[in-house]
Amino acid sequence: MKRVAILISGGGSNMVRLLESMTGDHPARPVLVASNDPQAGGLTKAAAMGVPVAAVDHRPFGKDRAGFEAQLLEHLDAARPDILCLAGFMRILTPDFIRRFEGRMLNIHPSLLPKYKGLHTHARALEAGDAEAGCTVHEVTAELDSGAILGQARVPIQAGDTPDDLAARVLVEEHRLYPEVLRRFADPALT
Ligand code: GAR
């Protein structure tokens, strides 16, 4: 059975879907949900689902990313995850941190990578006049939003869409895609 930790920064709707998926014959179980924001709504949801939670506020660390990560790693080391899932985790991680989880860290990004790495993906897709948008689950490497693509889902862009409309349409697909990819990734027969 693979042990999965999830990092979040906000409401954690993707995290909830991942937690819900890890039951029955699923090859993984959640061991920790951690956030850089002690107020993140997802922490309450995870705790209500019986999953251990931790928060390390990044703000007192200022520009000291390594200091923040060292404290986060204390929680992660104690939880001994085999797989680390970023689910709406909005802090850039250092190469040292990423190396610790090389080949076993996943992220969901709200665009059809390699298009629109970084922020404001939906506004950028609309501005470009794209006909479709979507989301990508990929392995995390030191270069932002650039690791191996493990799965993608597409949605049409409709006339008059706002970034919020598009975000809502893409999020529905995120909720389906991320659990599907995690299951595949965690399957001992496949890894
Ligand atoms: C999701 O749309 C996710 O793809 C995005 O943040 C949202 C989190 O929602 N992630 C990024 O932009 C990462 N750069 P959630 O907290 O409800 O899962």
Side-chain angles (χ1 to χ4, degrees):
M1 193 65 78
K2 296 280 171 65
R3 301 169 64 85
V4 174
I6 306 175
L7 299 185
I8 62 168
S9 295
S13 69
N14 277 289
M15 171 217 73
V16 167
R17 296 311 175 101
L18 291 176
L19 295 182
E20 286 171 351
S21 74
M22 285 185 268
T23 57
D25 67 352
H26 196 288
R29 288 291 182 270
V31 294
L32 179 70
V33 170
S35 178
N36 62 298
D37 179 358
Q39 306 304 323
L43 289 175
T44 320
K45 294 175 195 165
M49 294 173 78
V51 178
V53 296
V56 179
D57 192 342
H58 69 278
R59 285 166 298 192
F61 292 94
K63 291 198 164 83
D64 177 17
R65 285 186 192 273
F68 161 70
E69 289 176 357
Q71 206 151 316
L72 186 59
L73 274 170
E74 283 185 23
H75 293 284
L76 288 169
D77 286 346
R80 293 180 293 108
D82 301 302
I83 299 171
L84 183 55
C85 290
L86 308 185
F89 184 68
M90 303 308 279
R91 303 298 300 167
I92 302 261
L93 294 164
T94 66
D96 277 349
F97 183 98
I98 291 169
R99 216 168 289 127
R100 293 278 297 257
F101 295 95
E102 201 171 346
R104 52 200 187 99
M105 188 175 356
L106 309 184
N107 180 44
I108 187 151
H109 183 75
S111 79
L112 293 170
L113 290 173
K115 276 186 153 181
Y116 314 129
K117 298 171 182 177
L119 298 176
H120 310 301
T121 54
H122 303 304
R124 288 154 70 198
L126 291 173
E127 270 162 34
D130 291 355
E132 59 177 11
C135 52
T136 304
V137 177
H138 63 95
E139 280 192 42
V140 177
T141 57
E143 201 184 330
L144 183 72
D145 298 331
S146 297
I149 290 174
L150 303 175
Q152 284 188 317
R154 293 163 188 277
V155 301
I157 292 180
Q158 288 160 10
D161 272 348
T162 64
D164 284 350
D165 295 334
L166 196 50
R169 197 174 306 128
V170 170
L171 193 62
V172 172
E173 293 303 314
E174 294 186 38
H175 291 164
R176 193 187 51 72
L177 179 70
Y178 209 175
E180 178 203 308
V181 173
L182 175 62
R183 188 185 182 108
R184 213 180 333 121
F185 193 78
D187 189 336
L190 300 174
T191 53

